[in-house]
């Protein structure tokens, strides 16, 4: 059963939140972060990507980077831009992106339950990225980027949340990308107990985004056992039916020695091809394919769809197994230099730009993986292929920080 706890969040001063809160560290390059934070000393990118305050070319994992992050973090606290609440609370965090709205519970999740598999994973992590987050947490003594969790929706919780967000939010701003961010505190003892009791009946939580953050938090917990470490990590927990998953698209460097005619013939052995199709697929087992200035829709032949295994039936698996490996020579998409991945937030226009500019030879636009597939694979202890999901909107760093 899921054990969650209230905590005293370190939060931005209300009128400064729009200047402070930023997208996560891992969705942008150092150059992009430097440009976003230019002229804004309050930007949390000075904490989450502190290399932007050091000379270009500085090793991202050098001690100076983490020290600069700590210095910038302490500066925001000492000048009152970030202030810790006096008592532990739960919080509600609503995001509105276009017509999509989602409301998550901000809470401290259990490192023990992560290690025991009650908080379920669906991705492998990279040791270097884990090490980076461990060092960031240990240097700051805080978790500043939340883990994005989900659970199977609960009507009783839904009704409670709907009633709470009908009131005026404590914090409410629209970020430069147009996403609206709002938050409410839940501090009464009765309401805190109610939430804890409801989650105690939820068997599992699932990591949607933040595998490296959660793994790093668990490592810090294990290294500090008996040294005052609370054994909790910062999380925002959403009901599964509010999640928005966008496609995670693929662009390929070359045709692996095939002529255009040979390539299309090989694709015809795997797909039914609709010429001059849409840029976006409309259902599972359909892909968009951009090649030589034209979009086509590719539909997998029925014979490839007979597996009862949830991982084998993912579009990303089917594409990798039947096309990327045998046709394009991409045996390991994690390490291959012949493939790159483009988050769905950038749109299919980004795929056209990359191919038309000559940097890539062709592109596949994917149909989004469903949250039901993600949960069923996690329940079975499975690991999804790399770059299977892209969640939007992203949680803003510095809305809530968990001091450890």
């Amino acid at each position: 059963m899921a054990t969650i706890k209230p905590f005293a969040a370190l939060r931005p001063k209300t009128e400064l939140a729009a200047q402070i809160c930023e997208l996560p560290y891992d969705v942008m390059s150092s150059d992009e972060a430097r440009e976003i934070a230019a002229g804004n000393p309050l930007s949390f990118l000075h904490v989450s990507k502190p290399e932007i305050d050091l000379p270009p070319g500085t090793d991202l994992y050098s001690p100076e980077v983490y020290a600069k992050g700590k210095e910038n973090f302490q500066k925001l606290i000492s000048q009152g831009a970030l202030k810790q609440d006096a008592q532990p609370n739960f919080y509600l965090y609503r995001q509105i992106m276009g017509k999509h709205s989602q409301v998550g519970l901000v809470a401290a999740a259990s490192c023990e339950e992560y290690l025991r598999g009650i908080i379920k994973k669906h991705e492998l992590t990279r040791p270097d990225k884990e090490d980076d987050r461990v060092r960031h947490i240990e240097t700051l003594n805080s978790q500043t980027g939340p883990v994005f969790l989900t659970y199977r929706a609960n009507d009783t919780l839904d009704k409670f949340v709907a009633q709470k967000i009908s009131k005026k939010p404590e914090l409410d701003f629209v970020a430069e990308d147009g996403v609206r961010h709002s938050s409410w505190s839940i501090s009464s003892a009765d309401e805190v107990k109610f939430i804890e009791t409801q989650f105690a009946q939820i068997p599992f939580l699932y990591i949607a985004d933040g595998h490296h953050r959660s793994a790093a938090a668990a490592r810090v917990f294990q290294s500090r056992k008996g040294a005052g470490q609370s054994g909790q990590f910062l999380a925002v927990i959403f009901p599964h039916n509010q999640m928005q998953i966008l496609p995670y698209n693929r662009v390929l460097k070359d045709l692996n020695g095939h002529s255009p005619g040979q390539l299309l013939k090989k694709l015809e052995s795997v797909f039914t091809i609709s010429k001059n199709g849409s840029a976006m697929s409309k259902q599972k087992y359909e892909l968009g394919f951009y090649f030589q200035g034209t979009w086509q829709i590719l539909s997998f032949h029925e014979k490839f769809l007979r597996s009862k295994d949830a991982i084998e039936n993912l579009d990303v698996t089917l594409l990798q197994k039947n096309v990327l490996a045998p046709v394009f020579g991409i045996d390991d998409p994690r390490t291959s230099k012949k493939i790159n991945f483009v988050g769905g937030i950038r749109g299919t226009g980004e795929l056209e730009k990359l191919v038309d500019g000559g940097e890539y030879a062709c592109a596949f636009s994917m149909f989004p993986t469903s949250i039901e597939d993600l949960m069923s694979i996690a329940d079975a202890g499975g690991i999804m292929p790399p770059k299977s999901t892209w969640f939007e909107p992203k949680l803003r760093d510095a809305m809530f920080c968990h001091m450890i």
Side-chain angles (χ1 to χ4, degrees), residues 6 16 38 54 62 75 83 85 97 171 214 220-221 252 267 270 272 291 295 305 324 330 333 339 348 399:
L16 299 178
L54 296 169
S62 68
K75 193 184 296 181
K83 186 177 179 183
D85 287 342
M97 177 183 182
L171 187 153
S214 48
V220 173
F221 162 62
L252 308 185
L267 292 179
V270 179
T272 299
F291 182 52
W295 281 103
L305 312 179
L324 299 184
I330 299 167
I339 187 170
T348 53
M399 283 282 289

Side-chain angles (χ1 to χ4, degrees), residues 207-259:
I207 299 173
D209 210 354
H211 283 79
H212 290 95
R213 295 183 190 93
S214 48
R219 280 176 53 186
V220 173
F221 162 62
Q222 288 177 308
S223 71
R224 292 188 179 188
K225 271 186 178 177
Q229 159 67 295
S230 65
Q232 295 165 343
F233 64 89
L234 176 63
V236 188
I237 315 168
F238 293 87
H240 82 281
N241 55 9
Q242 291 185 25
M243 305 291 274
Q244 177 174 246
I245 305 181
L246 301 185
Y248 217 145
N249 300 317
R250 276 79 171 131
V251 285
L252 308 185
K253 283 281 187 185
D254 57 55
L255 304 186
N256 197 33
H258 301 304
S259 69

Side-chain angles (χ1 to χ4, degrees), residues 302-309 313:
E302 188 69 34
K303 67 180 181 180
F304 295 105
L305 312 179
R306 292 174 185 159
S307 175
K308 294 181 181 177
D309 183 283
N313 270 325

Side-chain angles (χ1 to χ4, degrees), residues 190-352:
D190 286 347
E191 289 180 333
V192 165
K193 184 68 176 171
F194 167 79
I195 290 171
E196 289 179 335
T197 302
Q198 287 298 312
F199 271 89
Q201 299 170 49
I202 291 171
F204 301 108
L205 301 176
Y206 301 84
I207 299 173
D209 210 354
H211 283 79
H212 290 95
R213 295 183 190 93
S214 48
R219 280 176 53 186
V220 173
F221 162 62
Q222 288 177 308
S223 71
R224 292 188 179 188
K225 271 186 178 177
Q229 159 67 295
S230 65
Q232 295 165 343
F233 64 89
L234 176 63
V236 188
I237 315 168
F238 293 87
H240 82 281
N241 55 9
Q242 291 185 25
M243 305 291 274
Q244 177 174 246
I245 305 181
L246 301 185
Y248 217 145
N249 300 317
R250 276 79 171 131
V251 285
L252 308 185
K253 283 281 187 185
D254 57 55
L255 304 186
N256 197 33
H258 301 304
S259 69
Q262 289 170 329
L263 174 65
L264 290 173
K265 193 166 184 181
K266 285 184 176 290
L267 292 179
E268 283 171 351
S269 69
V270 179
F271 303 101
T272 299
I273 302 178
S274 302
K275 306 286 185 185
N276 302 317
S278 162
M280 302 203 42
S281 54
K282 294 182 173 60
Q283 60 187 4
K284 191 173 181 177
Y285 305 135
E286 246 184 33
L287 315 176
F289 179 57
Y290 188 68
F291 182 52
Q292 296 185 324
T294 302
W295 281 103
Q296 302 173 43
I297 288 292
L298 312 180
S299 304
F300 282 102
H301 292 323
E302 188 69 34
K303 67 180 181 180
F304 295 105
L305 312 179
R306 292 174 185 159
S307 175
K308 294 181 181 177
D309 183 283
I311 296 175
E312 292 297 313
N313 270 325
L314 292 173
D315 284 9
V316 289
T317 305
L318 291 165
L319 179 68
Q320 173 60 39
K321 193 172 176 180
N322 299 295
V323 179
L324 299 184
V327 178
F328 289 93
I330 299 167
D331 294 320
D332 185 354
R334 292 178 192 279
T335 58
S336 176
K337 304 293 186 197
K338 302 174 77 171
I339 187 170
N340 215 330
F341 303 90
V342 181
I345 191 66
R346 295 183 183 267
T348 53
E350 180 70 9
L351 304 182
E352 294 173 14

Side-chain angles (χ1 to χ4, degrees), residues 29-54:
S29 67
S30 299
D31 288 340
E32 287 170 329
R34 200 172 277 112
E35 190 176 329
I36 292 167
N40 179 12
L42 294 176
S43 168
F44 204 72
L45 292 173
H46 296 289
V47 177
S48 60
K49 290 190 75 67
E51 71 272 12
I52 66 174
D53 294 328
L54 296 169

Side-chain angles (χ1 to χ4, degrees), residues 73-90:
F73 189 47
Q74 293 300 329
K75 193 184 296 181
L76 288 172
I77 294 170
S78 63
Q79 65 193 30
L82 295 176
K83 186 177 179 183
Q84 189 167 17
D85 287 342
Q87 69 176 68
N89 304 301
F90 285 124

